Amino acid sequence: MDVADLLLDALSIQDPEESVKERMTVAEKYLNEAREYVNKGDAVQASEKLYKAAEEIVKALAEKYRTPEYQEFMREGRWHTYLLGMASKTLAKELSYWILDGWNAAYDLYVWGFHERKYTIEYVKVGMAKIEEMVREAKRIIS
């Protein structure tokens, strides 16, 4: 967990509405960084940035809709990965499957593209399309 994550989590507790907007901005920043890494052919770093973009979208929408997983975050003081997966499923029932598809693509990239370093840039691009859709749809809802 880095300092930015800690600050966003603290903002979430103090001002969830502002946190939702800030998380959207951060998600777009990560997506842009991922595109730069894709253009450079760096599948590992692109995978990590795409995961981070999706992570911020799930957190933002969970906060906006006050999901049970967001309530658990509030009690525990941190987002566990399993809570993000659960939140994506809760949100899919409310919004549509684009959020679940985006989260699943991101988690896959995080494991196989970032940690295991098995994916080439072509595989990353396939997952990136789902995450781009996720960011677009979330922005429509949050804006």
Side-chain angles (χ1 to χ4, degrees), residues 86-98:
M86 292 166 65
S88 72
K89 290 163 181 55
T90 298
L91 291 162
K93 290 187 278 185
E94 177 79 23
L95 301 172
S96 186
Y97 279 89
W98 55 263

Side-chain angles (χ1 to χ4, degrees), residues 26 33 36 45 47 51 64-65 82 86 90 93 106 124:
V26 171
E33 289 176 9
E36 290 173 18
Q45 290 303 310
S47 295
Y51 173 83
K64 179 174 178 56
Y65 289 95
Y82 74 90
M86 292 166 65
T90 298
K93 290 187 278 185
V124 172

Side-chain angles (χ1 to χ4, degrees), residues 121-139:
I121 205 69
E122 293 307 315
Y123 293 113
V124 172
K125 287 178 182 178
V126 173
M128 185 166 77
K130 289 292 184 185
I131 297 160
E132 287 174 325
E133 177 186 10
M134 179 190 209
V135 171
R136 261 192 324 274
E137 291 295 321
K139 187 174 184 177

Side-chain angles (χ1 to χ4, degrees), residues 51 54-55 58 81 84-85 88 99-107 134:
Y51 173 83
E55 179 181 32
V58 172
T81 305
L84 296 168
S88 72
I99 186 134
L100 182 58
D101 291 345
W103 173 254
N104 287 340
Y107 192 75
M134 179 190 209

